[in-house]
Amino acid sequence: MPTMVSVPDPRRVAELRGRVHDGWAALRADLEALVRIPSVSNPEFDQAQVAASAAAVARLLAGAGLDVQTLQVAGGRPAVVGRRPAAPGAPTVLLYAHHDVQPAAGGWRTDPFDPVEVDGRLYGRGTADDKAGIVVHLGALRALGLAGQPGVGVTVFVEGEEEIGSPTFGAFLAAHRDRLAADVIVVADSVNWQVGVPALTTSLRGLVDLVVEVAVAAQPVHSGMFGGPVLDAVTLLARLLATLHDERGDVAVAGLRSAPDPTVDVDPARFRADAQLLDGVPTVGSGPLAAHLWTRPALAVIGLDAPVVATSSNVVVPAAAAKLSLRVPPGQDPAAARDALVAHLHDHAPFGARVRVTDGEVGRPFVASTDSPAMRAARAAFTAAWGHPPVDVGIGASIPFVADLAEAYPDAAILVTGVEDPRSAAHGPNESVHLGELEKAVLAEALLLDLLGS
């Protein structure tokens, strides 16, 4: 990639800040229109809405001057790819976001698909994750288009199945590898440090999930006639799950590794508030909070199959199952982590219960170069947009396709940027984006593209 200007000119910053501000009302309206489309990619929901969302994104990108195609591979959801070629000798930047969203379960104070502003935050499903990422790209392109065409080439890639694990991402990359090739890749699907302080995500944990079933009998039997000598499967499953953590709350599965502790830590009071912990419930585990969030394994039970209370009867339950989600630190092979967890489950089967494991999703962790020319440009752009330098953070969540991009384009610099903040409640009820922070994110990306193209 050619040498670039490393610090934005203050006059250019002021010019682009004005352009972003002048276009903000229209950009916010576009975000609200996207949020009103319930583009839930989970197959239990109406997939026509995902197609409608892709069509809306395609129209927006075409309006920003890109050559746009809506593409999908067999079994996949529609993705939108918009392109504008680079000037001779200039780099090409791939801008990623996704237009699909999580389902909106209970607990919402507003209609999740009717966005509403409260105290400077826009509430609604997808306002932050990740339709905000789409409008960051859109707003940056609009600002630069008004201020003169940058030399940098741009490919905008907005996929439609990230919230179900991007199951056809590999096939999509194989089919469209040349179309998505870039010198720099910007993934706008992460979180900032806090309102007023941006962040650049330099590591992501990987993911392993699986279902473990514990069985003790061929069928339910009367709990009065047979209970006592035979423990029910729910009790045995609970005993097995209790072996996954030690008395301090640390993961107790042999063979799982940790990365070095981060150089920054998370404020405990802010973490408690952001996590909405109940009074009297402590955080667990030894060592710094940031390590448990970013560089150590985390293991959670995210689903349970057992008789529900309302319809339960007096029987010894013969089988019960749980879905486990293991976050894998940077430096750990997910396959080895999966093998270690499976071995633990079999080795700790309580009272001879039969244990069966069914594999689920696997995603690799990711570590970014923190001193590439593109990363230095991003630091300068974020500092100019926020008036505060970005914090290098790890993310405990997984974005498995980032490792796929790194493998497909080994020479590309990958930047994972933030459109959310700790209060955004992505995936949960009352998801929101801070509108002031979103406007700064648009300016930061416009400045980044300007620097990369200079």
Side-chain angles (χ1 to χ4, degrees), residues 19-32:
R19 298 288 187 180
V20 171
H21 180 74
D22 291 345
W24 179 248
L27 193 63
R28 173 179 167 170
D30 291 329
L31 174 58
E32 292 180 357

Side-chain angles (χ1 to χ4, degrees), residues 101-248:
V101 298
Q102 285 281 328
W108 283 80
R109 295 187 293 268
T110 62
D111 183 337
F113 297 108
D114 186 12
V116 60
E117 180 183 352
V118 179
D119 295 331
R121 304 188 69 92
L122 187 68
Y123 286 82
R125 177 59 87 218
T127 52
D129 185 19
D130 181 36
K131 291 175 179 178
I134 299 170
V135 301
V136 166
H137 301 328
L138 181 65
L141 293 175
R142 286 177 178 173
L144 290 169
L146 289 168
Q149 294 287 338
V152 67
V154 172
T155 301
V156 181
F157 172 36
V158 183
E159 72 155 318
E161 56 184 33
E162 194 274 346
E163 297 294 7
I164 54 170
S166 302
T168 66
F169 195 88
F172 193 95
L173 275 183
H176 303 292
R177 183 186 182 90
D178 293 341
R179 185 177 275 108
L180 300 179
D183 302 289
V184 179
I185 299 171
V186 179
V187 177
D189 192 21
S190 191
V191 64
N192 285 310
W193 184 244
Q194 62 187 53
V195 172
V197 181
L200 291 166
T201 298
T202 58
S203 70
L204 297 162
R205 287 192 293 202
L207 174 69
V208 172
D209 68 37
L210 52 80
V211 174
V212 56
E213 182 186 61
V214 171
V216 294
Q219 66 178 35
V221 292
H222 196 292
S223 60
M225 300 291 290
F226 296 95
V230 179
L231 291 179
D232 63 272
V234 180
T235 296
L236 295 177
L237 176 62
R239 292 178 67 93
L240 176 59
L241 297 178
T243 69
L244 298 174
H245 297 85
D246 64 20
E247 67 282 354
R248 298 171 300 184

Side-chain angles (χ1 to χ4, degrees), residues 324-343:
L324 306 183
S325 176
L326 172 64
R327 301 292 178 167
V328 180
Q332 171 101 69
D333 174 43
R338 180 260 176 207
D339 291 346
L341 178 56
V342 171

Side-chain angles (χ1 to χ4, degrees), residues 404-432:
D404 295 336
L405 287 170
E407 182 177 43
Y409 307 109
D411 296 327
I414 298 180
L415 307 174
V416 183
T417 63
V419 291
E420 303 167 27
D421 65 81
R423 287 185 53 198
S424 288
H427 292 203
N430 307 304
E431 178 183 347
S432 69

Side-chain angles (χ1 to χ4, degrees), residues 34-389:
L34 290 174
V35 171
R36 291 189 181 97
I37 305 172
S39 51
V40 181
S41 52
N42 184 310
E44 302 283 322
F45 293 79
D46 182 6
Q47 296 307 289
Q49 297 291 348
V50 180
S53 179
V57 171
R59 288 192 296 271
L60 291 171
L61 295 182
L66 302 187
D67 179 17
V68 177
Q69 293 177 291
T70 300
L71 305 167
Q72 64 190 106
V73 295
R77 309 294 192 271
V80 182
V81 179
R83 304 176 71 201
R84 183 174 66 199
T92 294
V93 182
L94 176 67
L95 304 175
Y96 170 92
H98 62 87
H99 66 91
D100 65 318
V101 298
Q102 285 281 328
W108 283 80
R109 295 187 293 268
T110 62
D111 183 337
F113 297 108
D114 186 12
V116 60
E117 180 183 352
V118 179
D119 295 331
R121 304 188 69 92
L122 187 68
Y123 286 82
R125 177 59 87 218
T127 52
D129 185 19
D130 181 36
K131 291 175 179 178
I134 299 170
V135 301
V136 166
H137 301 328
L138 181 65
L141 293 175
R142 286 177 178 173
L144 290 169
L146 289 168
Q149 294 287 338
V152 67
V154 172
T155 301
V156 181
F157 172 36
V158 183
E159 72 155 318
E161 56 184 33
E162 194 274 346
E163 297 294 7
I164 54 170
S166 302
T168 66
F169 195 88
F172 193 95
L173 275 183
H176 303 292
R177 183 186 182 90
D178 293 341
R179 185 177 275 108
L180 300 179
D183 302 289
V184 179
I185 299 171
V186 179
V187 177
D189 192 21
S190 191
V191 64
N192 285 310
W193 184 244
Q194 62 187 53
V195 172
V197 181
L200 291 166
T201 298
T202 58
S203 70
L204 297 162
R205 287 192 293 202
L207 174 69
V208 172
D209 68 37
L210 52 80
V211 174
V212 56
E213 182 186 61
V214 171
V216 294
Q219 66 178 35
V221 292
H222 196 292
S223 60
M225 300 291 290
F226 296 95
V230 179
L231 291 179
D232 63 272
V234 180
T235 296
L236 295 177
L237 176 62
R239 292 178 67 93
L240 176 59
L241 297 178
T243 69
L244 298 174
H245 297 85
D246 64 20
E247 67 282 354
R248 298 171 300 184
D250 291 318
V251 176
V253 176
L256 297 184
R257 297 168 52 187
S258 296
D261 289 350
T263 57
V264 296
D265 203 3
V266 175
D267 177 69
R270 182 160 66 87
F271 175 79
R272 290 188 64 86
D274 293 338
Q276 300 184 54
L277 287 183
L278 300 178
D279 290 343
V281 176
T283 57
V284 300
S286 58
L289 268 176
H292 284 281
L293 290 169
W294 306 342
T295 60
R296 297 187 186 180
L299 188 52
V301 178
I302 61 172
L304 194 65
D305 283 344
V308 298
V309 171
T311 58
S312 60
S313 58
N314 277 316
V315 297
V316 175
V317 177
K323 186 172 184 179
L324 306 183
S325 176
L326 172 64
R327 301 292 178 167
V328 180
Q332 171 101 69
D333 174 43
R338 180 260 176 207
D339 291 346
L341 178 56
V342 171
H344 179 100
L345 294 170
H346 284 294
D347 291 345
H348 291 78
F351 297 104
R354 184 175 301 171
V355 171
R356 184 170 62 120
V357 174
T358 303
D359 287 339
E361 183 182 353
V362 174
R364 290 172 292 171
F366 167 76
V367 178
S369 169
T370 59
D371 196 36
S372 67
M375 185 67 83
R376 292 196 295 272
R379 293 190 201 286
F382 277 52
T383 300
W386 264 271
H388 194 293

